[in-house]
Amino acid sequence: MAELSKLFLNRPDVAVKTYIVVPADNADKVLDELVKESLLEPLPVTETKKEAEKLAEKLELASKTAKLVQELSNRLAAPVEVEVKELPWDLDQGLAKLYNELLDTLRLVRGLERELAELEQRAERLAALEKIVDAAQGRGEEGLVLEYDGDLVVVRTVYGSREEVSKLEEASLKTLSKIEAQPGKEVAVLVFERKSYERVREEVERLRVEVAGLPLGDLGQLKQAIEERLNEARTRAGDLRKKVGEVVSGKVYEIALAKVLAETVESKIGVLRDALESKYLTLVAGWALKSRAKEVERVARENRGVALFEEAPDPPVEFNNLKPFKPFELFTEIMGYPSPTEWDPTPLLTYLYLVFFSLMFPDVGYAIGLIIGARLVLPYFVENKDTLRRLIKIATYAGVTGIITGLLSGSFFGSLLGQYIAMVIPSVLPSLPPKLGALEEIGPVIIRYLGLALGVGYFMVLFSHGIGLYKNLVNKNRVGVVAEVLLISLILIAPPAIKVMFRFNVDVLGLLRIIPGDMASKLAVGVLVLYAVFKSVVDRPFGVMLWIFDVLGVMADVLSFVRIAGIALGGAIMAELINSLVFNVAGTAGMIYPVIGFVVGLLAALSLHVVNLGLSSISPFVHSLRLIMYEVSSKFYEGGGRRIAPSGVGSLVVRVGGGLR
C-alpha cells in the first residue's frame, strides 16, 4: 500500500531530531562526513547549546516522572496490568503534561494521607484513653480527673512510647493512672507542678490526649462519648483510605503511560547524559531523515560514537517520490513543501499537468519541437543546473504527451503533415479543417473543444473536492467533512437542475435519466440553502456572505478550464493560417521554378512554425501550472512544511561537557 501511494498522493520523508555522541577528537570528522553525504542538517552552535540544555531538562523530567510513578504505584492495593495502546506524537509535551497531572494527583493523595494519619493518631489515642476509663471502672472509681489547669498544679493525659511517658513521669509530681495501651506504648494521667509543667510543656502538648468536650464527671458517659468519637474517627479513616485508593486507581492508565514515556526517554537519550557531563565526549545535534537513519548510525559507529534519534515537533521534510515524478517537485515547491502530516501531491499533479498541457498542445510537430527546443534554448535562460535539468525533463514528458494528443487529433504542424496522420489514425480529439477552408466546420469544432474543456473542468473540480473530503475524514475535521459533502452534492445535482430551469444542456452525468426534473431542482435548491445556513452558522458573522463566494468559486473553477480550449484552438488556428500562407507563398514562387517554390515553402514553413512554437508553448506551460495550483490542489493542499537542508547550514561543534552544571 505504501508503494502504491507513491503513484498518487505520497507521504514525504520526515526528519527526526538526531543526537550523535562521539569522542571530542572525532567531532569535526564526523560532522564533515555527515554534511558531505547530505545526511545531517546540523544545528547552529547556539541552538546546539539550547538543545543540550533541553536534553538535560528532559532527562531530569524523566527521572522525576519515574519516581512519581513509583510513589503512586506503591499506593495501589494490588498489581494492575494496563495496555498502553498509543503514545503521544510529541513525547516531550506528553511527558510534561503527564508529570504535572500526576504531581497534582500525588499532592491530593498526600493531603488525604496526612488527614488519614491525623485521624489514625487520634483514634489510637482515643483507644488508649478508653483503656484508662476501663481501668478506672474496674477499680470501682466513680470519677476520673483527666485534665486540670490550676495555679499550682496541672493534670494532663499523655500517650506515647514507654520511654517518652517515663521521661515525663520523672518530671511530674504524681502519676494518677498509667497502663500499657499496646506493646511499647503507654497512656498515663500525670500531675505536674505549674513551674515543672512550663519546662516540659512542649513535650506534654505533643503527647497530649485531647479530652476537650468529653463528659469527665461520669465514667459511663465518658466511655460512651469516647466510643462515639472513636467510631467516628475510624469511619472517617476508612472513607479516606477508600478515597486514596479511588484517586490512585482512577489514574492507573496515566501512571502506566507516564512509566512508558519516562522509560522511552531514558532509553533513547539516557546515553547522552555521559556526553553532557564529560569533557572527553562531544554532542553533535541536528536533523536527519528517517530513511537515512542507518547511514547516520554507520558514520557514528565508524568514529567510535553512537547516534540517537527522537521524533520532535515541526520537523523538516524531504520529497520521497519515484524518479519519474522528481522533476515535477518543482511545482510543489512553488506551492510550499508538504508538512510532516500532509500528503505530497506531486505524483497526482504530474498526471494532471501532463493531461492539461497535452490538451492545450495537441500537435506532433510542435511537441517534437518542444523536446528539441528545451535542450537548445533553456540553457541560455536558466543558470541553475538542477532547475535546468528538471525543466528539460518536464518539457520532454510534456512533449511526449503532446505527441499522443497530436496523433489523436491528427495534427502535425496543423494539417501540413497532420492530414497524413488522419489517414492512419482516426481523429479522437476535435481538429480544425485544413487551412481553415471549410468555415462551416470551424464552429462545431470550437463547440466540441469547449465542451471537452468544460467537461474536464467539471470532473477535475469534483475530483479535487473529493480529495478534500477524504483529507477531512482522515483528519477527523467534522466541519470540513460537512462542507465538502454539501459542495460535492451541489456539484452533482446542479447541472441537471440548471438544464431543467434554464434549458442549458449541462447534465454531464445524465442524472435526469434517473431522477425527475422537478426533484432535481428541489434537491439543488435544498442543498444550496443547507450550505448557506451551514456557512452562516460556522463562519459567522461573515459566513452569511461567504457561502456565495464558495458557490460562485466552484462555477469559476469549472469555467477556468475553458482556457484549455482557448489555448489549443489559438495555436491550431495560427498553425492553419501559417499553412495557408506557406502554400500561397510556395505556389507563387513555384510559378517561377518548382524547386524554388519547394525551398521557399519549406523555409517559410520552418521559420513561421518555429515562431508559432515559441509563442504557443509558453501558454500551456503557464496555464497548466495555474490549473493544478488553483483549481485542483488548493482544495486539499496547504504546503506548510520546511525542506531539510543537509548541507546548507554553517556547521559548528560545541563542547557541552560540564558547562551545563
Side-chain angles (χ1 to χ4, degrees):
M1 185 62 71
E3 291 299 319
L4 186 62
S5 69
K6 289 187 176 183
L7 298 175
F8 298 99
L9 291 170
N10 195 14
R11 289 288 184 185
D13 192 0
V14 181
V16 289
K17 190 66 72 67
T18 303
Y19 307 101
I20 303 170
V21 180
V22 291
D25 295 340
N26 292 350
D28 291 331
K29 179 184 175 185
V30 168
L31 196 54
D32 288 342
E33 287 185 27
L34 292 171
V35 173
K36 186 182 297 182
E37 297 182 31
S38 298
L39 293 175
L40 186 75
E41 178 187 304
L43 294 180
V45 59
T46 53
E47 289 190 31
T48 303
K49 284 183 177 180
K50 291 178 182 178
E51 203 62 38
E53 292 171 355
K54 288 180 183 177
L55 288 173
E57 293 172 0
K58 192 183 302 183
L59 286 169
E60 183 182 358
L61 179 61
S63 177
K64 292 195 303 187
T65 302
K67 293 177 181 177
L68 195 58
V69 166
Q70 187 62 44
E71 281 201 54
L72 289 172
S73 299
N74 291 339
R75 288 167 169 82
L76 290 171
V80 180
E81 290 187 0
V82 180
E83 182 182 3
V84 178
K85 296 182 179 180
E86 185 179 359
L87 297 181
W89 188 83
D90 189 342
L91 292 181
D92 297 347
Q93 187 176 358
L95 185 61
K97 182 179 179 181
L98 279 173
Y99 173 78
N100 292 327
E101 185 176 344
L102 293 181
L103 184 60
D104 290 340
T105 301
L106 184 61
R107 286 170 179 162
L108 174 60
V109 168
R110 283 175 174 170
L112 293 173
E113 288 176 339
R114 281 194 297 270
E115 187 178 351
L116 175 61
E118 292 174 1
L119 278 171
E120 289 177 338
Q121 185 182 49
R122 185 173 166 193
E124 186 178 338
R125 293 188 178 189
L126 284 170
L129 184 61
E130 188 178 29
K131 290 187 177 183
I132 285 282
V133 174
D134 289 341
Q137 286 180 328
R139 292 193 297 270
E141 298 178 6
E142 296 182 359
L144 184 63
V145 178
L146 297 176
E147 191 166 306
Y148 173 75
D149 280 280
D151 295 334
L152 299 177
V153 296
V154 175
V155 179
R156 289 288 186 269
T157 302
V158 296
Y159 172 76
S161 66
R162 184 178 292 110
E163 292 77 12
E164 291 172 329
V165 172
S166 297
K167 185 177 179 181
L168 290 178
E169 198 173 6
E170 292 174 1
S172 67
L173 281 175
K174 184 178 180 180
T175 301
L176 298 180
S177 177
K178 184 174 82 168
I179 61 173
E180 186 177 37
Q182 56 180 300
K185 289 197 171 183
E186 295 178 336
V187 59
V189 181
L190 304 177
V191 180
F192 297 91
E193 281 187 316
R194 171 60 69 178
K195 292 182 180 179
S196 302
Y197 173 75
E198 295 299 333
R199 289 197 296 269
V200 294
R201 174 193 284 272
E202 186 175 341
E203 184 66 14
V204 171
E205 292 300 319
R206 187 175 67 83
L207 302 179
R208 178 182 178 182
V209 177
E210 186 62 50
V211 297
L214 291 173
L216 302 179
D218 184 271
L219 291 182
Q221 293 180 357
L222 177 59
K223 180 175 175 60
Q224 183 179 356
I226 291 173
E227 287 177 349
E228 289 176 358
R229 287 194 180 185
L230 187 57
N231 290 334
E232 182 184 343
R234 286 172 177 169
T235 301
R236 176 61 181 158
D239 291 341
L240 286 175
R241 289 192 194 93
K242 184 179 179 182
K243 179 67 174 176
V244 169
E246 290 175 351
V247 170
V248 178
S249 299
K251 293 292 182 180
V252 68
Y253 182 81
E254 287 77 5
I255 293 171
L257 181 58
K259 180 180 180 182
V260 172
L261 292 183
E263 290 175 351
T264 301
V265 170
E266 183 66 32
S267 64
K268 281 187 174 182
I269 62 174
V271 69
L272 298 178
R273 187 180 287 108
D274 296 334
L276 297 174
E277 297 177 353
S278 172
K279 63 181 180 180
Y280 302 107
L281 296 174
T282 294
L283 173 67
V284 177
W287 294 99
L289 295 172
K290 284 183 181 179
S291 62
R292 307 196 69 183
K294 291 188 185 251
E295 297 177 64
V296 176
E297 289 177 335
R298 172 185 56 78
V299 173
R301 190 168 54 251
E302 290 174 354
N303 290 275
R304 296 180 298 153
V306 61
L308 302 171
F309 306 97
E310 177 191 27
E311 291 187 351
D314 301 322
V317 299
E318 180 57 276
F319 289 117
N320 187 29
N321 293 303
L322 299 175
K323 189 174 181 181
F325 302 119
K326 288 193 173 296
F328 296 89
E329 291 171 352
L330 182 65
F331 298 153
T332 308
E333 290 175 17
I334 295 173
M335 297 181 288
Y337 294 98
S339 65
T341 57
E342 193 174 21
W343 292 316
D344 174 7
T346 301
L348 178 61
L349 298 185
T350 299
Y351 302 136
L352 298 181
Y353 179 85
L354 293 178
V355 169
F356 300 155
F357 188 98
S358 63
L359 290 175
M360 296 181 197
F361 205 67
D363 189 282
V364 176
Y366 287 168
I368 294 173
L370 175 66
I371 296 172
I372 298 171
R375 286 164 169 75
L376 297 176
V377 177
L378 285 178
Y380 292 99
F381 298 95
V382 182
E383 296 182 359
N384 185 283
K385 291 184 178 180
D386 180 61
T387 303
L388 175 63
R389 175 181 55 80
R390 291 197 282 180
L391 287 174
I392 290 175
K393 287 187 176 181
I394 291 172
T396 302
Y397 290 140
V400 170
T401 57
I403 290 173
I404 295 172
T405 53
L407 292 172
L408 295 177
S409 63
S411 179
F412 194 135
F413 294 126
S415 61
L416 184 64
L417 300 177
Q419 56 188 320
Y420 304 110
I421 297 177
M423 297 177 183
V424 181
I425 303 174
S427 295
V428 177
L429 295 175
S431 58
L432 293 170
K435 295 183 286 183
L436 303 178
L439 295 178
E440 66 276 4
E441 296 180 11
I442 297 177
V445 170
I446 293 175
I447 296 299
R448 285 181 61 196
Y449 225 111
L450 285 172
L452 174 64
L454 289 173
V456 170
Y458 176 80
F459 286 107
M460 282 298 101
V461 171
L462 184 62
F463 176 69
S464 302
H465 281 283
I467 297 178
L469 173 60
Y470 180 61
K471 176 184 177 181
N472 285 306
L473 285 170
V474 171
N475 295 336
K476 298 179 181 179
N477 181 358
R478 296 180 181 177
V479 173
V481 168
V482 174
E484 290 294 353
V485 167
L486 290 174
L487 274 177
I488 290 172
S489 301
L490 191 61
I491 294 171
L492 290 172
I493 201 65
I498 291 173
K499 182 176 181 180
V500 171
M501 291 186 287
F502 302 104
R503 305 301 178 186
F504 293 143
N505 188 16
V506 291
D507 185 14
V508 183
L509 300 175
L511 293 180
L512 288 177
R513 290 175 293 185
I514 304 173
I515 57 177
D518 58 340
M519 182 180 291
S521 303
K522 291 176 182 178
L523 283 174
V525 173
V527 173
L528 186 63
V529 171
L530 278 176
Y531 187 74
V533 172
F534 174 76
K535 290 293 287 186
S536 300
V537 172
V538 172
D539 294 332
R540 55 188 175 197
F542 302 108
V544 177
M545 296 185 61
L546 287 178
W547 70 271
I548 301 175
F549 296 101
D550 290 345
V551 174
L552 293 177
V554 172
M555 297 175 59
D557 288 340
V558 174
L559 293 174
S560 180
F561 281 81
V562 170
R563 71 187 68 237
I564 291 177
I567 293 171
L569 291 171
I573 290 172
M574 282 296 297
E576 292 305 328
L577 290 175
I578 289 171
N579 291 337
S580 179
L581 180 62
V582 166
F583 279 110
N584 289 333
V585 170
T588 302
M591 294 174 64
I592 301 173
Y593 194 74
V595 175
I596 295 176
F598 175 78
V599 172
V600 170
L602 180 62
L603 292 176
L606 286 176
S607 58
L608 291 175
H609 278 297
V610 166
V611 172
N612 192 32
L613 168 64
L615 295 174
S616 60
S617 61
I618 296 175
S619 292
F621 178 87
V622 174
H623 288 279
S624 298
L625 180 59
R626 184 232 146 77
L627 287 175
I628 64 172
M629 285 180 62
Y630 294 104
E631 276 68 39
V632 177
S633 62
S634 62
K635 308 300 181 295
F636 58 85
Y637 184 66
E638 296 176 9
R642 177 181 74 85
R643 192 174 192 177
I644 191 170
S647 58
V649 179
S651 58
L652 292 171
V653 177
V654 55
R655 179 169 293 134
V656 295
L660 296 177
R661 292 175 293 182

